Amino acid sequence: LALMIRTARSLYGHGKVLDAISEYGKAAGAAFAAGKRDLAFDLAFTRGSLQLRAKQYDVAAGAFGELMSRVPDNPRAAEASLLHAYALGQLYNTRRTKDRREEYTRAIEEHREKFPDHPTAASATWMLAQLEEQRLQTSVALRLYRSIPADHPRGPAARLAVARCYEKILTRLRS
């Protein structure tokens, strides 16, 4: 297992991202088989993150989804859940279909329900608000943007989005 991890790190260090993804997957599988769930989670999380960087959104979404179902009690499960939703969002942005939008929305809402007090909840709210604003659901987006805490990294951008939503509503009322 240690050799597999070193190999994966070395491959990544040498810019062989796709090979590193494969090796991290093998190492995660071996760690799961050995009963080392936390190590397996970390390795699988790294693999999924590399898949996101390589723009392999479909496999990354599947990998993070599987990771959450296999180790739902890991301290980083909320991050995996958010990255699962993010990957689905990227898939939706590449081809906007009703099914992809619904899957993306469901992933965000599940994240917000499972991890309401985790810092990632506000990021998920931001993602959902952006989606609703793109869909011209301005009132829904406004409510979501307003729920993002001002001290969150997305707080200032959320405040600007609130103003933008109010402006859209006023423009619509004028017309």
Side-chain angles (χ1 to χ4, degrees), residues 6 12-13 26 29 34 40 57 66 76 79 84 99-100 102-103 107 109 119 134 142 151 160 169 172:
R6 276 197 304 271
Y12 179 72
K26 291 175 190 173
Y57 301 121
E66 179 185 341
R76 293 179 66 196
E79 294 170 43
H84 170 72
D99 289 342
R100 284 188 175 185
E102 288 173 351
E103 186 177 18
E109 288 172 348
Q134 288 172 359
L142 174 64
D151 61 344
L160 287 173
I169 291 169
R172 192 171 50 221

Side-chain angles (χ1 to χ4, degrees), residues 49-67:
S49 298
L50 292 177
Q51 289 168 330
L52 286 176
R53 283 191 196 154
K55 299 185 187 307
Q56 297 178 342
Y57 301 121
D58 53 344
V59 290
F64 283 117
E66 179 185 341
L67 188 56

Side-chain angles (χ1 to χ4, degrees), residues 5-18:
I5 295 169
R6 276 197 304 271
T7 302
R9 287 180 180 157
S10 175
L11 288 167
Y12 179 72
H14 287 92
K16 298 180 180 180
V17 178
L18 298 179

Side-chain angles (χ1 to χ4, degrees), residues 58 66-67 71-72 91 170 173:
D58 53 344
E66 179 185 341
L67 188 56
V71 193
L91 283 173
L170 289 173
L173 287 173

